[in-house]
Amino acid sequence: MAKHAYLAASASERWLRCPPSAKLCAQEEDRGSPYAQQGTDAHELAAYLAEKALGRKSRDPTEDLTWYDAEMQEAAEGYAAFVMEQVAEAKSLCADPLVCIEQTLDFSKWVEHGFGTGDCVIVADDLLHIVDLKYGLGILVSASGEDGTGNSQLKCYALGALDTFGDLYDIRRIKLSIYQPRRENVDTFELSREDLLKWADEVLAPIAKLAYDGLGDFAAGDHCQFCKVKASCRKRAEYSMKLAKYDFAEAPTLSEDEIAEILPQIDSLVSWAEDIKSYALDQALSGVRYPGFKLVEGRSNRKYTDEVAVATVVSNAGYDPYEKKLLGITAMTRQLGKKKFDELLSGLIVKPQGKPVLAPATDKRPEFNTAQNDFMEE
């Protein structure tokens, strides 16, 4: 196993908080997923459109993309437009900013074998700007990071860019931008060059040394989501079972403080339970036997052996075998394309108010006003 696989910038949020997880994950087989391939396709298309917008020659990869659709095209076009906006800002600072697309960045000065690929790196006098495309839909990614000091992946990329291009430009400010089109999330965080280097020397480098050597303390939390050993991790089990001290008490018997302590752990507890079930099933299928459990055949539903033949038989009997249903908004947008969708249907779309949900106080959405709050304000 190559050691450079240990400390990927994209996984830095995890190994910075749980250093020994890096070595354990490096020993596990890397299983690809459709979502990963979809993200790769989106990045290839976005890189091509960004290069094209910059007036550079680049091969159109569309015909080779497995997951290409109208949504991906629209997202990539939006990303390219965002990049050009940032380039325009850089040109206001100096006449010849450096713009790199899919740039390999080496930050091994602070992290052993540390390198990664920056989606877009813009270097100008006074400013270094890292732009990262996130095509995923599941998790809202913040440019400020979990601790509010900047996204660690983008800070690693900024260090690599600073180490490579820092002598060519008088860089004093670092901007980190997340472009996440499918979540309508465009987020930017700024820090000084001094703060970035201080973080690199005082936080990143010491923890990276522990992680590279497989040392440090295990720690569980939201960062466990993409850990390869999360299902069997004892620390995560201990973290998840903290709720057991409440002995499954009914909500009305708990104080506001107790409920406030429970709420942040519920999602991770459910996720942990599902991970345990999935891991146990995989192990059972490979021959492991768990006391008190056995593999059985799950419930299944009937299905046609040949849908075309079924439709033919039913049609010949004088019946209509098909049901007609209006496409949903997402499917309709993909079929028409966003511009045509807006042109034809903008006056026929309404977005009702979403149902109230509890969220951390740090959530960027405005606070929901209940009827009681509205009455009090009046």
Side-chain angles (χ1 to χ4, degrees):
M1 178 67 68
K3 289 186 176 181
H4 67 263
Y6 280 19
L7 305 178
S10 58
S12 58
E13 182 64 34
R14 172 177 49 76
W15 56 256
L16 279 170
R17 296 173 66 180
C18 182
S21 68
K23 191 169 185 178
L24 290 177
C25 286
Q27 296 168 352
E28 293 292 318
E29 181 182 355
D30 190 12
R31 301 178 180 179
S33 72
Y35 302 108
Q37 184 57 53
Q38 187 181 48
T40 298
D41 285 358
H43 276 78
E44 286 189 29
L45 180 61
Y48 160 70
L49 292 177
E51 294 277 21
K52 182 179 178 182
L54 290 164
R56 301 171 183 172
K57 289 185 177 181
S58 181
R59 178 182 174 276
D60 186 345
T62 304
E63 63 181 19
D64 301 326
L65 303 180
T66 304
W67 291 88
Y68 176 79
D69 58 14
E71 182 181 30
M72 185 176 291
Q73 179 70 32
E74 180 188 347
E77 288 176 354
Y79 165 79
F82 180 75
V83 166
M84 295 309 296
E85 291 174 5
Q86 311 319 307
V87 171
E89 179 190 358
K91 286 183 176 179
S92 70
L93 300 174
C94 72
D96 58 342
L98 178 66
V99 183
C100 303
I101 304 297
E102 294 296 307
Q103 174 67 38
T104 298
L105 299 167
D106 185 329
F107 50 94
S108 57
K109 181 176 179 180
W110 297 273
V111 177
E112 190 84 15
H113 299 295
F115 67 90
T117 302
D119 294 337
C120 177
V121 179
I122 304 172
V123 193
D125 286 332
D126 183 56
L127 179 67
L128 165 64
H129 197 163
I130 305 293
V131 181
D132 195 59
L133 170 65
K134 299 294 186 186
Y135 194 65
L137 189 59
I139 299 176
L140 191 71
V141 183
S142 167
S144 60
E146 293 294 326
D147 60 2
T149 66
N151 183 288
S152 61
Q153 178 184 0
L154 271 60
K155 285 196 289 187
C156 286
Y157 290 164
L159 287 169
L162 194 61
D163 196 42
T164 302
F165 307 116
D167 293 336
L168 304 177
Y169 295 84
D170 183 20
I171 300 170
R172 293 184 291 272
R173 294 184 297 129
I174 313 295
K175 287 181 74 173
L176 313 173
S177 288
I178 295 291
Y179 188 84
Q180 191 176 15
R182 298 168 78 202
R183 291 293 300 267
E184 299 181 352
N185 174 37
V186 181
D187 193 28
T188 297
F189 179 83
E190 185 173 322
L191 70 162
S192 68
R193 173 178 179 150
E194 290 72 20
D195 285 344
L196 175 66
L197 292 175
K198 181 179 180 181
W199 173 80
D201 292 336
E202 297 181 3
V203 178
L204 179 64
I207 297 179
K209 178 65 170 62
L210 289 174
Y212 187 79
D213 293 334
L215 303 176
D217 296 327
F218 286 97
D222 294 341
H223 55 277
C224 296
Q225 181 164 357
F226 297 109
C227 181
K228 295 179 183 178
V229 296
K230 62 182 180 180
S232 56
C233 176
R234 185 171 297 278
K235 178 59 68 173
R236 188 177 181 223
E238 293 172 354
Y239 172 81
S240 299
M241 292 306 292
K242 283 182 179 179
L243 297 185
K245 71 180 182 180
Y246 296 106
D247 199 25
F248 297 99
E250 294 185 9
T253 67
L254 297 171
S255 69
E256 283 80 1
D257 288 341
E258 288 174 325
I259 291 176
E261 182 180 354
I262 293 170
L263 284 173
Q265 301 180 56
I266 291 177
D267 288 342
S268 62
L269 178 63
V270 172
S271 175
W272 171 73
E274 290 298 327
D275 289 337
I276 290 292
K277 288 174 63 178
S278 177
Y279 176 80
L281 176 59
D282 288 342
Q283 292 296 299
L285 289 170
S286 66
V288 175
R289 297 185 66 88
Y290 293 99
F293 289 86
K294 63 181 179 180
L295 280 173
V296 297
E297 182 178 324
R299 179 182 176 183
S300 66
N301 296 317
R302 297 178 299 167
K303 64 179 183 179
Y304 297 121
T305 58
D306 187 334
E307 292 188 357
V308 175
V310 169
T312 301
V313 170
V314 174
S315 296
N316 291 340
Y319 298 93
D320 183 0
Y322 298 103
E323 63 178 0
K324 294 181 179 179
K325 183 180 179 181
L326 188 67
L327 291 175
I329 290 178
T330 300
M332 190 73 79
T333 303
R334 289 176 181 172
Q335 177 168 299
L336 300 177
K338 188 174 187 305
K339 292 180 181 178
K340 179 60 70 174
F341 178 90
D342 291 340
E343 177 186 332
L344 297 175
L345 303 175
S346 60
L348 297 173
I349 302 296
V350 63
K351 187 175 183 180
Q353 186 176 38
K355 294 181 179 179
V357 294
L358 277 174
T362 54
D363 193 290
K364 294 182 179 181
R365 289 169 291 184
E367 186 167 4
F368 185 92
N369 284 322
T370 63
Q372 180 179 1
N373 286 339
D374 289 338
F375 176 78
M376 292 174 64
E377 289 174 2
E378 292 175 3

